[in-house]
């Protein structure tokens, strides 16, 4: 579906994070951001069905990114908790 839109969804963020988020990019891979989606949706030459499909995809992207952020935060927090536990245990004789 996205082939006809000049839009791509690509992974974004540091390559070392557990879960990378998705970002809108143009087909030439020169620009990125939500403004690309907004520009596409403001066009008069796209069908209502295509517009709705892309909006549905954006909703799915938002949910995916929220899940990825939760995973990343949780893993970071678990790592901090493990470091705190190791520090506490280091006082044992």
């Amino acid at each position: 579906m996205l082939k006809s839109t000049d839009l791509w969804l690509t992974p974004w963020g540091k390559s070392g994070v557990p879960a990378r988020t998705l970002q809108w990019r143009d087909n030439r891979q020169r620009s990125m951001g939500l403004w690309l989606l907004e520009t596409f949706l403001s066009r008069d030459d796209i069908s209502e069905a295509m517009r709705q499909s892309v909006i549905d995809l954006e909703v799915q992207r938002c949910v995916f990114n929220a899940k990825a952020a939760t995973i990343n935060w949780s893993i970071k927090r678990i790592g901090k908790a493990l470091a705190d536990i190791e520090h506490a245990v280091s006082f044992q004789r």
Side-chain angles (χ1 to χ4, degrees):
M1 174 188 68
L2 289 180
K3 288 181 183 181
S4 63
T5 65
D6 193 35
L7 294 173
W8 288 28
L9 283 174
T10 59
W12 185 81
K14 298 175 190 168
S15 60
V17 296
R20 294 173 68 186
T21 58
L22 296 175
Q23 182 70 23
W24 289 105
R25 290 195 70 108
D26 68 336
N27 282 341
R28 294 173 306 281
Q29 298 290 311
R30 292 186 182 155
S31 299
M32 65 185 261
L34 192 55
W35 70 271
L36 291 165
L37 174 67
E38 293 168 353
T39 300
F40 174 77
L41 292 174
S42 68
R43 290 175 30 191
D44 292 331
D45 64 335
I46 59 172
S47 69
E48 199 54 42
M50 173 64 84
R51 183 184 315 278
Q52 189 58 53
S53 293
V54 172
I55 290 170
D56 292 345
L57 187 58
E58 171 60 5
V59 169
Q60 291 176 22
R61 185 190 75 85
C62 292
V63 170
F64 177 88
N65 285 352
K67 289 177 181 180
T70 301
I71 290 167
N72 291 334
W73 180 86
S74 296
I75 289 173
K76 182 177 179 180
R77 186 63 192 111
I78 290 168
K80 170 100 172 72
L82 289 173
D84 291 346
I85 291 168
E86 288 175 4
H87 181 72
V89 170
S90 71
F91 292 104
Q92 289 180 338
R93 295 182 183 225

